[in-house]
Amino acid sequence: MRLAEAWRVALDALRANRLRSVLTMLGVVIGVAAVVALVAIGTGTKQQIEQQVEGLGSNLLIVVPGRLEAGAAPSVSNLSLDDADAVGRIVGDRNRVAVTVASGENVRAGSRQTFTSMQGVLETTPTVFVRRLDRGAYLTRSDVNTARRVAVLGAGVATSLFGDRDPIGRQLTIGGVRFRVIGTFEPLGQSLGVDRDNEVHVPVTAAQRLLGTDRIDALAIRAPDRDRIDKLGADVVAALGERHPDTDFSAVTQQQILGVLGDILGVLTGVLAAIAGISLLVGGVGVSNIMLVSVRERTREIGLRKAVGARPRDIGLQFLLEAVLLTTIGGVLGMALGIGTALLADRLTPVPAAVTWWSLTLAFGVSAAVGILFGVVPAQRAGRLDPVVALRTE
Amino acid sequence: MSTPAIVATDVSRTYDLDGVSVPALRGVSLTVDQGDYVAIVGTSGSGKSTLMHLLGGLDRPTGGTLVIGGRDVATLSPPEMAKLRNEVIGFVFQSFHLLARTTARDNVALPLVYRGVGRRERRARAAELLERVGLGHRIDHRPNQMSGGEQQRVAIARALVTGPSVLLADEPTGNLDSVTGQSVLDLLESLNAEGVAVVLVTHDAEVAGRARRRIVMRDGLIVSADPPGAVPALSGGGS
């Protein structure tokens, strides 16, 4: 029997049992769709996070107290503005050094209030990180030196406190202390799960006074070039270690953050794909099951085909192709469903999704392989049927 | 005279049921000549169905020698047996064994699929055969749209489409009323007159009476042959 003929016979058989074929395919469709959609979501999330980390600015070096190791206890910061000056001298340019002391604070303007992330910062922040103003001006060096009570609002904060009105020059209170708005940021959206539009920047000195501390939480450095970033990190950590002999410091680069996040997300994507793969496997078992039923149901047909000259391999091929058709058609439908689900999720929910060729190829290949794998046993059984017994079956 | 279509010499067939040997045929010798018309008669359990399966190459004997179309089946692999069935034998069954949801034409063309004949030629030859059995107007009908007699005619056309030398008919009239049965037998006989050997398996004495010779079986043995010696007086001579 020619192969083209065998395909036609298999297709006819599937058509003859349309409902059963569709239900059998459904298992494979769901399995493949799950693999494609979940891998797309995993990949999309990873890409988004990479963009966000890179969007912070280039050649960044974040310095925090404590060791960055799994299981290490978080340290209480004992960094101060003097340390920031010392780091500025090592870098050779104090404009490349930013600091933060952050605190969640209630901010009020008139009758409206909102809970924000107050960040005490230096005037250098926009040059170290990528941060664009929408209106007004940023903090100045003199604002920092004199602990002037001025604030720059994130886009979300500005909207919730002032609506459509221009906030520049208006008064608000942070933790009960009066500040004046001098600028607003462009909207930035979420970054690593944090709403960046919910920030309020004030001079670090004013924030320290408000919080009753002389500490800062962390330092960030924008290295002059990528090649010297590691050396600079080591120098800074060493210098800070000399100033605070009983504390460890760590310097992390964006590349290191990306590496760690990438590893975590890679594992996550793998786990998602594995779970989806199991459902694909279950779909394959369903195909096998139905093929065994089909062989039993069509015993008489098999007997007749053998009587008129079908060889065992002709019969085996017919049933194997049926199984392969079920899983490949199911695979194609599943790919379409998976892509559709991923695109919808990407557009309608905050979950990012990016469909990748490798996941499509893998899902389709696996579904075809599942068809062969789970079709072989029923096909062999059909091929080996004794024609005398098969013809006698009622 | 040409070689006989089928020669069975002291053929036996024993089934192994859970370790117990059950003999179904116990040494049967029979020759089916080209153009022969034989009826095999016997009650249920006499071994006549087993004999028919052997003569048709669906099964192999456990003893004796069986030569179909000049080839000893003991030397043939399963694929070779399939080829032999395709080329030498045409089967007609009591229950027709047509593929449901498949047109008369495609049912008739089925054996040619396994011979590797192209679709166009298959369909042409199937239409020709349906014409010959008087179903030229039923070509695209499905089995459930046809009467029993028509279905059996489709089955006969299917048996003939490969140009076999022997038609093996197992109770071909068993599921038909007597008038329809008669016309099916008439058809088989007209084919026989054209040179195809016909082997009829039946328990119906009237049907058997129409054959040129009769073989009566009981308990796995041939108990009588009529006429004795079983040499056909009017062999069609094959071709």
Side-chain angles (χ1 to χ4, degrees):
Chain A
M1 182 165 57
R2 298 173 188 181
L3 199 59
E5 202 66 51
W7 281 111
R8 190 171 310 161
V9 171
L11 205 58
D12 282 346
L14 293 187
R15 248 190 242 133
N17 273 303
R18 213 164 275 159
L19 181 63
R20 193 172 71 187
S21 304
V22 167
L23 289 177
T24 311
M25 266 179 217
L26 202 57
V28 179
V29 171
I30 292 171
V32 170
V35 170
V36 171
L38 290 180
V39 170
I41 287 169
T43 311
T45 306
K46 193 171 168 183
Q47 285 177 358
Q48 190 188 51
I49 286 174
E50 281 168 2
Q51 281 169 7
Q52 287 171 350
V53 171
E54 278 160 8
L56 289 175
S58 51
N59 299 345
L60 276 184
L61 196 59
I62 315 283
V63 181
V64 289
R67 274 180 210 270
L68 279 190
E69 277 172 12
S75 302
V76 174
S77 174
N78 53 5
L79 287 169
S80 68
L81 282 174
D82 292 342
D83 295 315
D85 289 338
V87 169
R89 283 192 294 277
I90 294 171
V91 178
D93 180 359
R94 80 176 293 278
N95 285 324
R96 290 188 173 276
V97 180
V99 306
T100 57
V101 52
S103 171
E105 296 292 341
N106 257 318
V107 177
R108 283 172 190 275
S111 59
R112 303 203 200 190
Q113 67 163 344
T114 182
F115 191 76
T116 67
S117 165
M118 181 195 71
Q119 311 246 336
V121 295
L122 294 175
E123 79 286 355
T124 54
T125 298
T127 51
V128 175
F129 298 102
V130 176
R131 216 57 214 270
R132 287 197 191 82
L133 286 183
D134 183 35
R135 291 193 229 192
Y138 199 67
L139 312 173
T140 63
R141 189 161 184 180
S142 100
D143 291 337
V144 174
N145 288 343
T146 59
R148 200 169 282 143
R149 297 201 297 273
V150 289
V152 178
L153 306 185
V157 179
T159 309
S160 49
L161 289 182
F162 299 104
D164 293 335
R165 291 176 298 159
D166 186 352
I168 307 298
R170 293 183 189 275
Q171 302 285 324
L172 47 70
T173 63
I174 302 175
V177 178
R178 198 183 275 256
F179 280 75
R180 183 168 54 86
V181 180
I182 59 166
T184 60
F185 289 116
E186 277 186 4
L188 209 67
Q190 299 249 329
S191 176
L192 303 177
V194 177
D195 182 3
R196 308 281 313 273
D197 294 332
N198 190 37
E199 291 176 1
V200 173
H201 286 201
V202 299
V204 61
T205 42
Q208 284 176 332
R209 197 169 292 172
L210 186 70
L211 298 173
T213 179
D214 56 357
R215 304 292 181 212
I216 57 172
D217 294 338
L219 282 165
I221 302 158
R222 181 175 199 157
D225 60 76
R226 183 164 292 219
D227 297 336
R228 271 186 286 169
I229 200 163
D230 290 331
K231 165 91 166 60
L232 188 59
D235 289 349
V236 167
V237 166
L240 290 176
E242 247 167 61
R243 293 170 64 90
H244 303 276
D246 47 356
T247 311
D248 291 311
F249 293 92
S250 307
V252 263
T253 64
Q254 282 159 301
Q255 276 62 43
Q256 286 168 321
I257 295 172
L258 280 181
V260 173
L261 288 174
D263 288 351
I264 293 170
L265 288 167
V267 170
L268 202 67
T269 305
V271 170
L272 287 178
I275 291 170
I278 289 170
S279 83
L280 187 53
L281 204 68
V282 172
V285 174
V287 170
S288 190
N289 231 325
I290 289 298
M291 290 313 296
L292 284 173
V293 171
S294 179
V295 168
R296 173 158 297 188
E297 238 178 38
R298 283 149 66 196
T299 303
R300 274 163 61 87
E301 178 192 327
I302 294 166
L304 185 269
R305 285 178 183 274
K306 288 198 157 186
V308 301
R311 291 165 295 172
R313 52 164 292 217
D314 293 328
I315 300 292
L317 191 64
Q318 177 189 334
F319 281 88
L320 187 60
L321 289 185
E322 258 183 58
V324 171
L325 267 181
L326 275 175
T327 57
T328 49
I329 294 174
V332 170
L333 294 179
M335 273 160 49
L337 183 65
I339 293 171
T341 307
L343 291 181
L344 274 183
D346 196 49
R347 187 154 307 174
L348 301 181
T349 73
V351 179
V355 177
T356 51
W357 280 109
W358 71 262
S359 70
L360 290 180
T361 315
L362 185 76
F364 184 78
V366 168
S367 63
V370 159
I372 293 171
L373 194 70
F374 288 97
V376 161
V377 171
Q380 276 183 343
R381 186 168 293 189
R384 286 191 195 135
L385 270 183
D386 179 351
V388 172
V389 175
L391 281 169
R392 239 189 249 137
T393 309
E394 286 307 320
Chain B
M1 211 167 141
S2 55
T3 35
I6 303 172
V7 182
T9 312
D10 197 26
V11 161
S12 61
R13 178 68 170 90
T14 304
Y15 291 101
D16 186 52
L17 296 176
D18 295 328
V20 181
S21 291
V22 179
L25 280 186
R26 300 188 289 173
V28 168
S29 295
L30 171 71
T31 300
V32 178
D33 284 309
Q34 305 288 349
D36 212 340
Y37 185 11
V38 197
I40 300 173
V41 196
T43 55
S44 153
S46 61
K48 64 182 195 303
S49 289
T50 303
L51 179 59
M52 199 201 77
H53 291 142
L54 289 175
L55 297 181
L58 287 170
D59 197 6
R60 296 162 190 269
T62 43
T65 56
L66 175 62
V67 178
I68 301 174
R71 307 194 64 179
D72 184 347
V73 299
T75 66
L76 300 180
S77 66
E80 286 170 327
M81 291 278 277
K83 191 162 183 282
L84 190 69
R85 290 196 291 271
N86 185 267
E87 291 173 352
V88 180
I89 310 290
F91 289 96
V92 179
F93 303 97
Q94 178 176 0
S95 52
F96 320 139
H97 275 298
L98 298 177
L99 299 184
R101 301 191 193 91
T102 305
T103 62
R105 192 209 293 260
D106 287 339
N107 263 296
V108 172
L110 186 64
L112 296 178
V113 168
Y114 297 108
R115 196 179 269 199
V117 177
R119 184 173 159 83
R120 188 182 293 263
E121 193 189 338
R122 284 202 313 262
R123 289 172 64 84
R125 272 163 74 179
E128 220 172 274
L129 262 298
L130 282 168
E131 200 73 53
R132 187 161 152 203
V133 298
L135 288 177
H137 59 299
R138 294 296 218 187
I139 279 182
D140 291 317
H141 286 61
R142 286 155 197 236
N144 59 8
Q145 298 168 314
M146 290 187 276
S147 70
E150 286 173 329
Q151 291 187 50
Q152 193 58 299
R153 281 167 187 273
V154 173
I156 291 170
R158 179 182 61 196
L160 285 174
V161 78
T162 55
S165 50
V166 184
L167 275 188
L168 282 179
D170 186 5
E171 303 276 12
T173 60
N175 279 3
L176 304 174
D177 64 67
S178 62
V179 177
T180 318
Q182 292 293 333
S183 74
V184 164
L185 287 177
D186 290 344
L187 174 61
L188 288 176
E189 280 165 16
S190 75
L191 296 168
N192 179 243
E194 289 169 31
V196 183
V198 173
V199 178
L200 264 181
V201 175
T202 183
H203 66 276
D204 184 333
E206 200 179 326
V207 172
R210 294 175 59 150
R212 205 170 301 131
R213 59 193 183 100
R214 278 151 297 282
I215 286 162
V216 181
M217 297 199 61
R218 189 184 299 149
D219 297 333
L221 289 169
I222 294 179
V223 291
S224 74
D226 164 34
V231 177
L234 292 165
S235 169
S239 51

